[in-house]
Amino acid sequence: MKKLFLLLLPGMLLLAGQAEAQLQKGTTHFGATIGASGDGARSKSSSGPVEYSDKSNSHGIAPSLQTGWMIRDNRMFGFRLTSGIVLRNTKYEGTGPLNHFVNNNYSLSLSPFIRHYKSINSKWALFLQSGVEGSYVWSKTKTNDAVEKENGYTVGLYVLPGITYWISPRFAIESDLRLLSLAANYTDFNDSKTFTFNAGITSGINSYFGVRAAWYLQKSN
């Protein structure tokens, strides 16, 4: 069903009729969002008389800013800037010395994009956003007293549908529907080169949706 919806959505957007005021040519768009994640775990195991324990936690944050301009009715050109930080801390303890593992990952991404809208009514609209994204990624890993640093890059293409709800003529809440997204990426990082293709299948429900605060500012007559 999700693949069928994603295939039909471009056609729905091409049939867009009259644009609402917020989607008319000349409108300026600003959007901001921040995502956060975290988890922790603690476990114990034994092998004969020897007991082992480990304690781990992970925290992540991903703020994003984007801006765009309605280059024609129902069509926007814009840029999205995203940064990401994921901090992982793990301690292993057994009969030997304590093993302490810290892994911090960082990224900075820039994406030019085109967004097509389909108005449902004066409050709701669907959109389909397609773009190119380039990212610089780097990490710092510490195991006990040894430190290792790595860096690399990722480039890719994506298609991302979503929905917009206007609370007021200038302010809206937007949701990216990642469950229905398509993305292809090439990554060169940590002495490894990989190509990935994602058809909207993610490992957690928290990855399916992203909520953004957005402002639509019409030009003065």
Side-chain angles (χ1 to χ4, degrees):
M1 178 63 73
K2 65 186 180 184
K3 292 182 179 179
L4 178 61
F5 180 83
L6 189 58
L7 290 173
L8 292 177
L9 188 55
M12 295 167 57
L13 295 174
L14 290 175
L15 294 176
Q18 182 177 353
E20 299 294 335
Q22 300 94 331
L23 302 179
Q24 292 177 357
K25 182 179 178 180
T27 298
T28 302
H29 164 83
F30 297 98
T33 185
I34 185 168
S37 63
D39 60 68
R42 187 166 189 171
S43 64
K44 289 186 177 182
S45 60
S46 62
S47 177
V50 181
E51 288 190 353
Y52 304 91
S53 67
D54 68 80
K55 180 180 180 182
S56 64
N57 59 74
S58 175
H59 302 282
I61 187 170
S64 177
L65 296 172
Q66 70 180 42
T67 186
W69 304 267
M70 303 301 296
I71 56 177
R72 56 180 294 184
D73 291 355
N74 296 312
R75 183 174 298 175
M76 177 193 296
F77 172 75
F79 295 92
R80 182 180 67 190
L81 180 66
T82 305
S83 60
I85 301 174
V86 178
L87 309 177
R88 296 186 178 92
N89 191 324
T90 305
K91 292 182 179 180
Y92 301 95
E93 190 172 14
T95 56
L98 174 70
N99 292 314
H100 190 189
F101 176 78
V102 178
N103 176 238
N104 298 335
N105 293 280
Y106 311 90
S107 65
L108 185 63
S109 306
L110 179 64
S111 170
F113 64 84
I114 293 286
R115 181 187 286 188
H116 301 269
Y117 287 87
K118 166 61 178 177
S119 297
I120 300 174
N121 54 40
S122 60
K123 288 288 188 179
W124 294 90
L126 296 172
F127 65 80
L128 185 68
Q129 182 169 313
S130 56
V132 180
E133 187 166 65
S135 304
Y136 176 68
V137 292
W138 68 102
S139 70
K140 179 180 179 180
T141 303
K142 181 179 180 181
T143 304
N144 294 332
D145 295 325
V147 177
E148 182 179 6
K149 297 180 180 180
E150 300 284 350
N151 62 76
Y153 65 90
T154 296
V155 292
L157 306 171
Y158 67 90
V159 179
L160 180 66
I163 191 166
T164 299
Y165 173 74
W166 280 277
I167 297 175
S168 72
R170 290 192 169 194
F171 179 70
I173 296 295
E174 300 179 347
S175 180
D176 300 330
L177 305 180
R178 300 187 182 279
L179 176 61
L180 302 168
S181 64
L182 295 174
N185 293 281
Y186 173 78
T187 302
D188 186 331
F189 179 70
N190 196 20
D191 297 324
S192 176
K193 298 176 176 61
T194 59
F195 176 81
T196 58
F197 178 77
N198 186 292
I201 301 173
T202 57
S203 59
I205 191 67
N206 291 336
S207 300
Y208 289 169
F209 307 98
V211 178
R212 178 185 307 105
W215 291 261
Y216 290 78
L217 308 178
Q218 292 89 39
K219 63 180 181 179
S220 301
N221 294 325

